[in-house]
């Protein structure tokens, strides 16, 4: 028997036929906060036996009774090979989340509350990107660190103007926090490149400029956090 809190329920939400669902096995229970969150977020609660589809289909029209090991879910019961560009993109987002979590841990250990808060904002946005991909939802306008997408671009391009700190190259003398921020920044840039490859139609036109721009601005904010941290450390 398992008891799902709001946090664990959120982590186990799945997508079926373009809708978000939560599968609850017989004997398992939801805490009141978990049930309230699922209801408030429009997630349908289904019995666990409903999780297994009658069959799987592919983008080319093939049908499988069982899911092959070399394939995975694109959305609902649609399967693609694990080398599909959108699956690679989701892997890039997974790696970015891992880097953000490590950077957030370092920020907490260093007592850098503002940096930790900014990283939590980034993590929330990055996790939203997967939902927008799977459900094919548009990404709403957003701010990060109190800055709009346009402001993030300006501040990251001209740090001397906004933070009295020029561009720099990280080195061995920098703190673990600054270096993990740099690691997260490079993961954001890599995820952006994967998005550019994943979201193109047959004629090469970009189909999800919102997701690509969001990842670009994530890397911008991470660079801004590095700029601020470098200034603080050198002043200290």
């Amino acid at each position: 028997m398992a008891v799902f809190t709001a946090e664990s329920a959120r982590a186990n939400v799945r997508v079926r036929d373009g809708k978000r669902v939560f599968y609850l096995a017989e004997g398992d229970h939801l805490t009141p906060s978990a049930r309230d969150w699922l209801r408030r977020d429009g997630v349908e609660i289904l019995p666990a036996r409903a999780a297994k589809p009658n069959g799987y289909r592919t983008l080319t029209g093939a049908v499988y009774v069982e899911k092959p090991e070399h394939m995975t879910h694109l959305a609902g019961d649609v399967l693609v090979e694990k080398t599909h560009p959108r699956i690679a993109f989701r892997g890039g987002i997974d790696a970015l989340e891992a880097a953000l979590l490590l950077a957030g841990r370092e920020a907490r250990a260093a007592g850098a509350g503002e940096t930790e808060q900014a990283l939590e904002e980034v993590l929330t946005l990055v996790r939203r990107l997967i939902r927008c991909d799977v459900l094919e939802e548009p990404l709403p306008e957003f701010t990060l660190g109190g800055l709009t997408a346009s402001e993030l671009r300006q501040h990251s391009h001209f740090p001397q103007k906004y933070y009295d700190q020029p561009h720099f190259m990280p080195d061995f003398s920098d703190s673990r926090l600054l270096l993990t921020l740099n690691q997260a920044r490079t993961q954001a840039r890599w995820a952006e490149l994967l998005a550019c490859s994943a979201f193109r139609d047959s004629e090469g036109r970009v189909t999800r400029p919102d997701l690509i721009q969001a990842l670009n601005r994530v890397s911008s904010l991470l660079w801004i956090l590095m700029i601020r941290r470098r200034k603080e450390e050198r002043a200290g």
Side-chain angles (χ1 to χ4, degrees):
M1 182 184 74
V3 177
F4 290 91
T5 64
E7 181 178 357
S8 59
R10 189 159 40 238
N12 282 278
V13 169
R14 299 292 181 260
V15 176
R16 179 170 180 172
D17 298 328
K19 298 180 181 179
R20 297 201 303 159
V21 299
F22 178 86
Y23 295 110
L24 187 66
E26 185 175 353
D28 291 351
H29 299 280
L30 294 165
T31 63
S33 62
R35 192 173 293 276
D36 287 345
W37 180 83
L38 291 168
R39 185 183 301 112
R40 186 171 58 250
D41 221 51
V43 179
E44 186 178 359
I45 302 172
L46 298 175
R49 62 179 179 275
K52 186 175 178 60
N54 295 325
Y56 304 94
R57 55 193 174 90
T58 70
L59 295 176
T60 59
V63 177
Y64 291 93
V65 175
E66 297 291 337
K67 184 175 77 65
E69 288 295 331
H70 70 285
M71 305 191 81
T72 190
H73 296 271
L74 180 64
D77 62 353
V78 178
L79 298 180
V80 293
E81 294 194 3
K82 292 179 179 179
T83 54
H84 190 281
R86 280 176 65 181
I87 303 305
F89 162 72
R90 293 173 190 177
I93 292 295
D94 196 24
L96 174 55
E97 285 188 36
L100 289 169
L101 289 167
L102 286 174
R105 177 65 176 169
E106 289 295 335
R108 180 172 296 182
E114 289 187 8
T115 299
E116 182 183 351
Q117 182 178 356
L119 289 169
E120 287 178 351
E121 285 185 51
V122 174
L123 186 61
T124 298
L125 175 64
V126 167
R127 287 173 171 168
R128 182 73 180 268
L129 301 184
I130 291 295
R131 168 176 172 156
C132 290
D133 170 28
V134 174
L135 299 183
E136 299 186 349
E137 295 178 347
L139 180 68
E141 290 188 10
F142 61 88
T143 61
L144 290 174
L147 300 173
T148 65
S150 177
E151 291 168 336
L152 285 165
R153 182 181 178 88
Q154 283 295 311
H155 283 227
S156 65
H157 282 200
F158 304 103
Q160 184 74 56
K161 174 182 177 181
Y162 293 100
Y163 306 106
D164 194 28
Q165 165 65 45
H167 291 287
F168 69 96
M169 291 289 289
D171 59 47
F172 296 138
S173 64
D174 288 318
S175 68
R176 285 181 61 87
L177 172 54
L178 196 152
L179 294 178
T180 54
L181 286 170
N182 187 52
Q183 184 180 39
R185 181 190 64 81
T186 62
Q187 287 293 161
R189 296 303 299 271
W190 179 243
E192 180 186 353
L193 291 176
L194 291 172
C196 288
S197 175
F199 299 112
R200 290 187 181 275
D201 62 19
S202 59
E203 296 182 1
R205 293 172 297 199
V206 172
T207 59
R208 293 306 304 262
D210 54 340
L211 302 189
I212 294 171
Q213 184 197 54
L215 287 165
N216 183 274
R217 297 309 188 265
V218 164
S219 66
S220 294
L221 178 66
L222 291 167
W223 179 240
I224 289 168
L225 295 178
M226 289 174 62
I227 289 286
R228 292 176 179 173
R229 189 65 187 176
R230 168 59 78 93
K231 182 178 180 179
E232 292 172 4
E233 290 179 3
R234 294 304 161 98

